[in-house]
Amino acid sequence: MNLIGVNPALPGISGSKKLGFFSFNGGNQPINLKPGGVYQIKVAMEEKQTLKLDVQGKVDRFANGHAGKNHSHLSTIGNSTNVKWHVCPVEKTDRQKLLQQRGCVIWITGLSGSGKSSVACALSQMLYQRGKLSYILDGDNVRHGLNRDLSFKAEDRVENIRRVGEVSKLFADSGFICIACLISPYKRDRAACRAMLPTGDFIEVFMDVPLSVCEGRDPKGLYKLARAGKINGFTGIDDPYESPLDAEIVLQCNTGDCSTPRDMAEKVVSYLEEKGYLQA
Ligand SMILES: Nc1ncnc2c1ncn2[C@@H]1O[C@H](COP(=O)(O)OS(=O)(=O)O)[C@@H](OP(=O)(O)O)[C@H]1O
Ligand SMILES: Nc1ncnc2c1ncn2[C@@H]1O[C@H](COP(=O)(O)OP(=O)(O)O)[C@@H](O)[C@H]1O
């Protein structure tokens, strides 16, 4: 049975309400849902979902649109036991339609001083001017709050990237264009963040700027301190940076004479446009 335009109170039935009548199409004939029934319903914003009622007429599960998530059973996820995914009928596609864009993650990686924050900022400005919502997760800034407990030793960098990857995933799911700019020096961690997102939605941008150029800029004086042995484990000096080989976008600057952050951001905007991220 196809119910078109099920009443807006639909979210209210998920969880507890017993079998009842659901008016649809703005007050047309009510439909009697039967215990044990499985119904194709159209919820807000034309999203189709499957509504299954248990034998008592309680909502057993909603399906569709949440591939890989188990809606009906308790699960163990990491150290969290007995957790259950809670589904809300307003989904990513609905938010994307509101925003007229597609949620994704622009992951900008590169050495300290390579221009990550500058490109992130220029990109965010350009998107804003086009009426597109983005949000920047800058490594430096996130370490002022969420990740203030983390240092720069290898295992903390891994956790830093994992957390930012997870937060980026939430932003993308919200429909935002999330711009994450972190050194993210290890390939494996970047690959893990990529794997958190649907294919295509993780767009890696490599700031391909040699150490000599970054060190020449040294806006915070950190390379100088690292060379003087006053900072240990500084990326590029005595800590590794693993360049990506498969980044979607490479922004190169081999000499001190680079194109501007704005020109670089323009390339990212073109990519987003070409791949359809700037429309719903
Ligand atoms: N040891 C060491 N190595 C590298 N960077 C250091 C270090 N100590 C402090 N900083 C400052 O921290 C900024 C990098 O933070 P991230 O969170 O992006 O780093 S990482 O992704 O966890 O490697 C980085 O900022 P950016 O210059 O914007 O990259 C540095 O200013
Ligand atoms: N394309 C560029 N050309 C020249 N200088 C740049 C460029 N991008 C950034 N810079 C300068 O390099 C320094 C580091 O830039 P920043 O964006 O903070 O890099 P990161 O976030 O990778 O550390 C800053 O002083 C910035 O003004």
Side-chain angles (χ1 to χ4, degrees), residues 121-133:
C121 204
L123 175 60
S124 191
Q125 272 181 305
M126 290 169 88
L127 291 172
Y128 178 81
Q129 281 155 4
R130 286 168 179 243
K132 305 299 168 193
L133 268 176

Side-chain angles (χ1 to χ4, degrees), residues 183-245:
I183 297 179
S184 41
Y186 312 135
K187 266 189 205 158
R188 207 171 132 178
D189 303 335
R190 297 191 301 261
C193 294
R194 179 184 288 274
M196 290 176 196
L197 284 133
T199 307
D201 287 1
F202 182 90
I203 300 153
E204 194 167 350
V205 178
F206 174 35
M207 300 302 300
D208 188 7
V209 184
L211 178 65
S212 56
V213 173
C214 299
E215 199 169 350
R217 292 175 179 169
D218 203 11
K220 303 170 197 161
L222 295 176
Y223 282 105
K224 208 172 167 194
L225 289 173
R227 289 286 186 199
K230 292 182 179 158
I231 301 178
N232 290 325
F234 197 80
T235 306
I237 305 297
D238 55 351
D239 221 59
Y241 178 79
E242 300 168 0
S243 300
L245 300 173

Side-chain angles (χ1 to χ4, degrees), residues 111-118 217 219-220 258-261 264:
L111 290 168
S112 175
S114 59
K116 302 182 294 296
S117 305
S118 304
R217 292 175 179 169
K220 303 170 197 161
C258 300
S259 48
T260 64
M264 291 179 170

Side-chain angles (χ1 to χ4, degrees), residues 76-93:
T76 296
I77 310 290
N79 291 332
S80 300
T81 50
N82 301 319
V83 286
K84 185 174 184 290
W85 187 269
H86 193 276
V87 182
C88 174
V90 180
E91 295 188 333
K92 184 178 182 185
T93 47

Side-chain angles (χ1 to χ4, degrees), residues 42-137:
K42 255 187 162 183
V43 296
M45 318 294 173
E46 299 168 3
E47 192 73 9
K48 253 200 201 163
Q49 294 201 355
T50 303
L51 170 69
K52 185 171 178 283
L53 300 179
D54 67 14
V55 286
Q56 293 166 326
K58 288 184 183 167
V59 175
D60 180 28
R61 71 184 161 94
F62 279 103
N64 306 355
H66 291 272
K69 289 176 189 135
N70 187 337
H71 301 146
S72 49
H73 298 109
L74 298 174
S75 311
T76 296
I77 310 290
N79 291 332
S80 300
T81 50
N82 301 319
V83 286
K84 185 174 184 290
W85 187 269
H86 193 276
V87 182
C88 174
V90 180
E91 295 188 333
K92 184 178 182 185
T93 47
D94 305 320
R95 296 185 283 273
Q96 292 185 147
K97 273 183 205 154
L98 272 183
L99 296 171
Q100 283 300 304
Q101 63 186 52
R102 276 170 53 204
C104 61
V105 175
I106 313 288
W107 190 279
I108 309 180
T109 173
L111 290 168
S112 175
S114 59
K116 302 182 294 296
S117 305
S118 304
V119 168
C121 204
L123 175 60
S124 191
Q125 272 181 305
M126 290 169 88
L127 291 172
Y128 178 81
Q129 281 155 4
R130 286 168 179 243
K132 305 299 168 193
L133 268 176
S134 66
Y135 192 79
I136 299 175
L137 298 174

